[in-house]
């Protein structure tokens, strides 16, 4: 199991097989990987994810593709898929990190505002 610490948080909402299927479907129709990454970032902020979670998801995705390709999965083809998936999950992690920083900054501003107005 990849990323066992997220099992209780995410997998209760959506089984991993469904998560991978949905991700692949969205990746296929996506015209802009950056927009897909930003969408993912916004929907996953609640999970407090780390780089290792993105790496784990990438590994699970590569393993899924490898098993689906079976005897057609040459070393070269699997390597190409691994590079694509690594690129996409790296972009997702960057977008997630940016969204997380923006959210933290906004929460700090709200907190500061509340403290200032409680004194009045």
């Amino acid at each position: 199991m990849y990323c066992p610490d997220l099992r209780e948080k995410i997998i209760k909402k959506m089984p991993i097989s469904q998560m991978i299927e949905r991700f692949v479907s969205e990746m296929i129709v996506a015209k802009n990987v950056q927009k897909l990454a930003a969408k993912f970032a916004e929907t996953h902020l609640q999970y407090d994810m780390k780089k290792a979670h993105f790496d784990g998801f990438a590994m699970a995705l590569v393993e899924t593709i490898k098993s689906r390709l079976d005897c057609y999965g040459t070393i070269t083809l699997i390597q190409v898929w691994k590079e694509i998936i690594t690129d996409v999950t790296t972009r997702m992690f960057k977008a997630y990190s940016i969204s997380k920083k923006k959210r933290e900054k906004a929460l700090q501003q709200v907190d500061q505002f509340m403290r200032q107005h409680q004194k009045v």
Side-chain angles (χ1 to χ4, degrees):
M1 168 70 188
Y2 301 97
C3 310
D5 59 315
L6 290 179
R7 185 175 187 83
E8 291 299 313
K9 295 178 184 177
I10 296 176
I11 304 217
K12 282 185 175 179
K13 293 183 180 182
M14 182 184 298
I16 192 75
S17 58
Q18 186 180 353
M19 191 184 311
I20 288 174
E21 182 180 317
R22 184 173 170 188
F23 175 80
V24 170
S25 296
E26 288 188 29
M27 209 168 94
I28 288 169
V29 298
K31 292 181 174 43
N32 184 323
V33 175
Q34 210 55 42
K35 284 184 182 179
L36 177 64
K39 176 185 171 189
F40 173 89
E42 290 299 317
T43 59
H44 286 71
L45 277 174
Q46 62 188 314
Y47 300 117
D48 191 30
M49 299 173 79
K50 310 287 184 253
K51 176 78 167 95
H53 298 122
F54 291 84
D55 295 342
F57 182 71
M59 288 189 311
L61 199 49
V62 169
E63 288 300 316
T64 300
I65 289 169
K66 200 167 149 181
S67 71
R68 294 287 185 193
L69 291 175
D70 196 25
C71 63
Y72 301 104
T74 64
I75 293 171
T76 304
L77 184 57
I78 299 302
Q79 188 59 39
V80 168
W81 270 107
K82 186 176 182 179
E83 288 173 18
I84 291 167
I85 291 167
T86 299
D87 178 61
V88 171
T89 54
T90 298
R91 290 175 190 231
M92 291 167 67
F93 177 69
K94 287 179 183 176
Y96 174 82
S97 297
I98 290 167
S99 292
K100 187 175 179 180
K101 285 178 186 172
K102 285 181 182 177
R103 184 174 134 210
E104 288 169 355
K105 185 177 179 180
L107 290 173
Q108 287 173 350
Q109 289 172 339
V110 168
D111 188 49
Q112 183 180 11
F113 176 82
M114 296 299 286
R115 279 188 269 129
Q116 287 175 346
H117 286 82
Q118 284 177 346
K119 293 177 183 177
V120 175

